[in-house]
Amino acid sequence: MNIPDIITLIAIMIVGGYLLQNRIFCQHQKLSDIVKGLPCRSWVFGNIIAFRTELDFGALLGWHDTYGAAYTVRGCLGETRLVISDPAAFKFFFQNPYKFSRPPLDTLSSDLINGSGAVFSEIGPSHRRLRGVMDLAFRKYASSFQEGTDAVIQQWIDQCQQNGRGEQGTINVQQALGKFALTESMHAVLGDTPESDSKKHTAQKMWIEYSSNILSELISKPTKRALIIERLAEALLPKTLLRIMLHLPEERLKRLHRFSKLNADFVNEIVVNYESKQLGCSAEDDSDTTTSPKNNGSSTSIFSAMVRINEGLSKSQNKLTLRQIASQVPSMLIAGQDTVGNSLSWALYELASHPDWQERVREEIIAHARFSGEAECPQAFFRNEGLDGLPCLNAHIKETLRFYPGVPMVNRITLEDVVFPLAEPILSADGKSKVTQILVQKGTRVHFNLAAYNKTRSIWGEDAGSFNPWRWLPTQRLSESEQGPVRVSTGLGPYANLSSFIGGARVCVGWRLSILLMQTFLTRCLAKFRFKLVENVGIRPIVTFTIFPALDNDEDSPSPSLPLGIEML
Ligand code: HEM
């Protein structure tokens, strides 16, 4: 521990000792008297080490199987947290998003990563105002993402040919997919990519370099010391002092600040580019349609659509400033990178794991391409309606997002006392009665376990714990053994009853874009390649803020990796 850390720690311990005892202990006794919890051996660390630093996908789902759709975990120094995956509680959360905020340190680091004023940190009316403009812009945007997909396909063909094995090879698909997700999100949000014009967009280019895996690296497993400091600081310090804490000389924090500076440059560049084009003072920018106010017709980018929608608002609707709009760009790009990249990786992994199913999806794509005359008019095939009309492809995407939700858990603190209703009552902590609702006091941390909700047996069937795309195709299944249709609709979330994009006012703004990206990538890719598992290479899911594939034998600090055998068709 370095000296500034020790000073901080001692100061907050002295100031807060008394408060801590009372505030934390009271809250803990009430919640854990009602709701069962993971066994806890240490008052100092609770079970938070297992929960935050040793968490694996199996444990996240296993605890749900053992304790049900609501259970408690102990944080540091007696804190009690609620982990919940009940459909009625989720509905309550989605309908009342502003009764919750992100935990203070998460909000402050998100401000550094995404830039201040980003949609992630806003709450109440200012969040609603931002989302009004963003949601409309995303709805108006339509693109096929064909070019980006074809670039990845070409890269994989070249790699196969370079390694001397002709029409097949082993390729680590993970890295290319993360980059694909980022460049395609950038294409959608800003209308071009840095590669399309090397002279401009210096900050954009640096941002891309630096942002790669930024969330996985920065919000990865905390140390024990960090957990204690985080707990004390959040319980006792006002936000201004927390902000100062983020300047402690620690390597991760330094990286966070460097990224934050780059973010600010990136946002400035977007504003300056836009303003200079508006004044018509830059002749060399004429070709760039990205942020041009001249595009009053169709939307060439989500950013330009946001600008136009905002301009169309009346004065009383409280318009956003150009900087407020530009400040949303980094968060949209960061939010889409690992989520879409990892979802595509898992989609390919599951296709490789189920060769017969892979053939079935491919046959459907090829038949549909022929039927819609793809050779003469590729655009016709790749219009949204075309892609939505492929049942097996879409079943695969739904099952991938169900099984590996891009964000497995969403974390919040209650801003007031709330009562979560439960659709499926749980047994009380003393085992004597049924609990149908849970009172949670203000200031309690709640982990919404999206991964566990997506495996609820009463919704997805008894085989909810298995990857089975047939559940989405009950009328097409081949035999009874392939059954497992979705049983009930909980009416949750924007897509397929899944919680993967959450729901309500904070629903993922990029959910339609993500589906379109996945549909486009998978259709084109499956028409070109057959994917196979690599012999003797085990893959396991690693949970950070997202779920990425890593090599089974990469135990100490697993990094994202997915080697797959690919064969050109
Ligand atoms: C498979 C892909 C994706 C998944 C599973 C996913 C999932 C989520 C989830 C669970 C949240 C809620 C997080 C929270 O409130 O703590 C969220 C929020 C958000 N997502 Fe996505 N996301 C995906 C792709 C994208 C893409 C492609 C974009 C943009 C291009 C995007 C932009 C956002 C933004 C801006 C928010 C914050 C919304 C708000 O707070 O109002 N996401 N996403």
Side-chain angles (χ1 to χ4, degrees):
M1 196 183 280
N2 53 35
I3 291 170
D5 278 6
I6 296 172
I7 297 170
T8 320
L9 195 59
I10 293 173
I12 45 192
M13 279 179 112
I14 294 169
V15 175
Y18 175 72
L19 270 175
L20 189 68
Q21 279 264 327
N22 286 294
R23 269 176 57 178
I24 300 173
F25 248 134
C26 287
Q27 169 253 326
H28 131 146
Q29 282 180 333
K30 284 181 185 144
L31 187 56
S32 56
D33 282 352
I34 303 163
V35 182
K36 270 191 194 164
L38 302 189
C40 169
R41 274 177 238 114
S42 147
W43 183 82
V44 178
F45 289 110
N47 353 74
I48 204 67
I49 308 275
F51 195 71
R52 288 275 305 274
T53 66
E54 292 159 12
L55 183 63
D56 68 30
F57 201 36
L60 195 63
L61 301 171
W63 289 327
H64 169 258
D65 284 345
T66 312
Y67 298 100
Y71 58 92
T72 56
V73 290
R74 295 281 170 84
C76 291
L77 312 178
E79 178 199 16
T80 300
R81 302 173 175 201
L82 180 68
V83 185
I84 197 149
S85 52
D86 181 274
F90 270 30
K91 202 169 267 180
F92 176 85
F93 168 47
F94 296 170
Q95 285 168 353
N96 299 281
Y98 307 135
K99 288 186 194 275
F100 304 86
S101 74
R102 294 200 166 78
L105 275 174
D106 288 12
T107 309
L108 289 174
S109 30
S110 160
D111 279 358
L112 285 175
I113 292 175
N114 298 299
S116 60
V119 64
F120 277 102
S121 318
E122 297 297 328
I123 195 163
S126 52
H127 177 258
R128 223 174 277 127
R129 194 155 58 98
L130 259 179
R131 283 300 301 254
V133 173
M134 289 174 92
D135 288 347
L136 252 183
F138 270 82
R139 243 181 243 133
K140 274 174 180 263
Y141 184 77
S143 169
S144 71
F145 303 113
Q146 282 179 58
E147 261 181 54
T149 303
D150 289 349
V152 177
I153 290 176
Q154 192 54 49
Q155 182 193 333
W156 287 352
I157 292 176
D158 293 346
Q159 270 176 268
C160 281
Q161 286 168 347
Q162 270 161 22
N163 70 17
R165 294 191 59 200
E167 309 270 282
Q168 52 186 314
T170 300
I171 294 201
N172 199 329
V173 297
Q174 173 73 14
Q175 223 185 359
L177 293 176
K179 187 157 187 257
F180 166 77
L182 179 61
T183 43
E184 290 311 292
S185 301
M186 187 165 268
H187 179 71
V189 172
L190 287 179
D192 64 359
T193 59
E195 285 86 358
S196 65
D197 187 340
S198 57
K199 277 190 294 182
K200 289 181 287 181
H201 310 309
T202 328
Q204 272 191 47
K205 276 165 70 178
M206 284 171 62
W207 190 90
I208 283 210
E209 284 293 306
Y210 211 77
S211 69
S212 167
N213 288 323
I214 190 97
L215 280 187
S216 295
E217 278 178 32
L218 292 177
I219 313 183
S220 56
K221 324 259 168 179
T223 58
K224 283 184 180 177
R225 176 173 59 116
L227 284 170
I228 294 268
I229 294 181
E230 181 184 289
R231 173 65 188 137
L232 285 168
E234 283 195 350
L236 304 164
L237 294 185
K239 231 177 173 178
T240 25
L241 282 181
L242 285 180
R243 220 179 279 277
I244 293 171
M245 261 187 67
L246 287 180
H247 287 271
L248 287 172
E250 216 238 353
E251 205 33 61
R252 245 196 246 191
L253 292 177
K254 283 189 201 159
R255 188 165 146 77
L256 202 59
H257 284 284
R258 282 197 294 273
F259 186 65
S260 179
K261 162 85 179 61
L262 200 55
N263 232 349
D265 293 347
F266 183 23
V267 170
N268 273 340
E269 195 177 78
I270 297 169
V271 171
V272 169
N273 277 350
Y274 180 83
E275 283 173 340
S276 66
K277 276 167 218 152
Q278 201 168 32
L279 292 170
C281 63
S282 171
E284 71 162 333
D285 286 340
D286 275 357
S287 59
D288 187 351
T289 53
T290 309
T291 53
S292 168
K294 294 172 208 151
N295 307 324
N296 278 332
S298 63
S299 299
T300 53
S301 72
I302 289 164
F303 177 79
S304 60
M306 281 176 72
V307 173
R308 270 200 315 281
I309 291 161
N310 187 54
E311 276 168 1
L313 294 179
S314 65
K315 270 197 186 137
S316 62
Q317 284 172 299
N318 231 340
K319 287 187 188 193
L320 302 167
T321 63
L322 181 61
R323 186 163 293 277
Q324 276 176 311
I325 297 177
S327 298
Q328 307 314 315
V329 171
S331 41
M332 290 191 263
L333 304 182
I334 291 171
Q337 182 185 8
D338 288 348
T339 47
V340 174
N342 291 337
S343 301
L344 279 173
S345 287
W346 288 119
L348 292 186
Y349 172 77
E350 291 295 345
L351 285 165
S353 307
H354 300 91
D356 293 346
W357 169 248
Q358 184 182 158
E359 286 314 316
R360 178 106 180 193
V361 181
R362 179 174 299 106
E363 276 164 22
E364 176 188 83
I365 291 169
I366 290 171
H368 192 90
R370 257 191 232 117
F371 174 75
S372 57
E374 202 225 340
E376 299 83 54
C377 179
Q379 295 301 340
F381 175 54
F382 286 100
R383 271 205 297 266
N384 278 0
E385 325 77 89
L387 294 170
D388 286 345
L390 299 171
C392 292
L393 171 80
N394 289 297
H396 191 72
I397 293 174
K398 285 174 191 164
E399 189 65 352
T400 303
L401 289 170
R402 184 187 76 84
F403 210 77
Y404 306 99
V407 179
M409 198 144 60
V410 159
N411 305 329
R412 294 288 193 268
I413 281 191
T414 48
L415 293 174
E416 55 187 85
D417 292 356
V418 297
V419 179
F420 283 118
L422 296 181
E424 296 176 15
I426 51 165
L427 211 53
S428 60
D430 60 10
K432 291 184 181 153
S433 55
K434 290 219 159 165
V435 177
T436 54
Q437 55 180 32
I438 303 172
L439 167 70
V440 178
Q441 289 188 339
K442 180 179 171 182
T444 307
R445 239 178 227 252
V446 182
H447 300 278
F448 293 92
N449 190 341
L450 311 188
Y453 162 86
N454 282 357
K455 306 254 166 70
T456 306
R457 287 200 189 92
S458 58
I459 306 170
W460 315 103
E462 281 310 308
D463 69 342
S466 323
F467 188 95
N468 174 16
W470 289 103
R471 80 181 70 253
W472 301 98
L473 304 163
T475 53
Q476 292 197 20
R477 63 180 189 256
L478 295 179
S479 69
E480 281 308 304
S481 64
E482 280 166 336
Q483 71 174 332
V486 179
R487 282 198 184 157
V488 250
S489 167
T490 51
L492 268 189
Y495 180 69
N497 221 19
L498 297 170
S499 66
S500 313
F501 298 106
I502 69 165
R506 282 212 176 268
V507 65
C508 169
V509 76
W511 75 267
R512 280 191 203 82
L513 193 86
S514 308
I515 304 302
L516 184 56
L517 260 167
M518 291 182 75
Q519 288 172 326
T520 310
F521 186 85
L522 292 173
T523 34
R524 292 188 88 76
C525 222
L526 282 174
K528 290 274 183 225
F529 302 115
R530 179 169 290 117
F531 295 89
K532 293 179 182 166
L533 294 180
V534 181
E535 251 178 68
N536 302 324
V537 175
I539 299 294
R540 67 189 170 120
I542 302 292
V543 179
T544 55
F545 86 97
T546 175
I547 310 172
F548 63 78
L551 299 183
D552 228 353
N553 57 10
D554 191 357
E555 298 240 312
D556 290 341
S557 54
S559 55
S561 180
L562 177 60
L564 287 180
I566 69 176
E567 189 186 313
M568 279 157 59
L569 298 170

